[in-house]
Amino acid sequence: MSEQLFIGGVFVTGLLCFFHPCILPLLPVYTAYLSGSNVLDHATRPTIRLGPIRLQLVLLLRTLLFVLGLSTVFIMLGFGSGVFGRLATNPQFIAICGAIVIVFSIHRLFFPLFSLY
């Protein structure tokens, strides 16, 4: 039950982010880019009718590929941050970072004239 609530919360948050004031001016640009720049081609493109709604297959395909590409980038960034989080909690990594801090502090202590500031 908590997993469904979490997924629903993430979905609602995504919808709310979609209607953020910073995103609204970009919607015409995305629509123009995904639909193509040639207005005369729109009448000859294949469409699907769902009652009063007409869906252009080219626009639908471009939109799906755009969302897939953007989602892939964010998924890879999420995996990368997970790997970095696992690395940052590794005791050997913490020891190496601590040794680097000690070496830099000894350098700063004995060679203050050669510092960067």
Side-chain angles (χ1 to χ4, degrees):
M1 176 66 181
S2 66
E3 183 176 326
Q4 292 172 347
L5 184 63
F6 176 73
I7 291 173
V10 169
F11 181 75
V12 170
T13 304
L15 284 178
L16 289 176
C17 288
F18 181 75
F19 292 110
H20 193 272
C22 296
I23 299 298
L24 291 178
L26 294 175
L27 292 180
V29 175
Y30 285 143
T31 306
Y33 179 74
L34 292 174
S35 65
S37 60
N38 193 354
V39 178
L40 299 176
D41 273 351
H42 291 289
T44 60
R45 290 182 180 169
T47 60
I48 297 175
R49 284 199 168 272
L50 299 172
I53 300 173
R54 280 187 350 188
L55 295 175
Q56 293 183 1
L57 294 177
V58 173
L59 179 61
L60 187 64
L61 179 66
R62 287 180 181 172
T63 303
L64 289 175
L65 290 175
F66 177 78
V67 169
L68 180 67
L70 201 61
S71 298
T72 302
V73 167
F74 282 112
I75 288 170
M76 296 307 290
L77 285 172
F79 283 140
S81 65
V83 168
F84 180 73
R86 183 173 295 156
L87 176 71
T89 58
N90 188 353
Q92 288 87 12
F93 181 75
I94 294 172
I96 291 171
C97 289
I100 290 171
V101 168
I102 291 171
V103 167
F104 284 158
S105 62
I106 290 172
H107 177 270
R108 179 79 177 149
L109 180 67
F110 290 114
F111 301 105
L113 296 176
F114 300 113
S115 65
L116 295 175
Y117 34 76

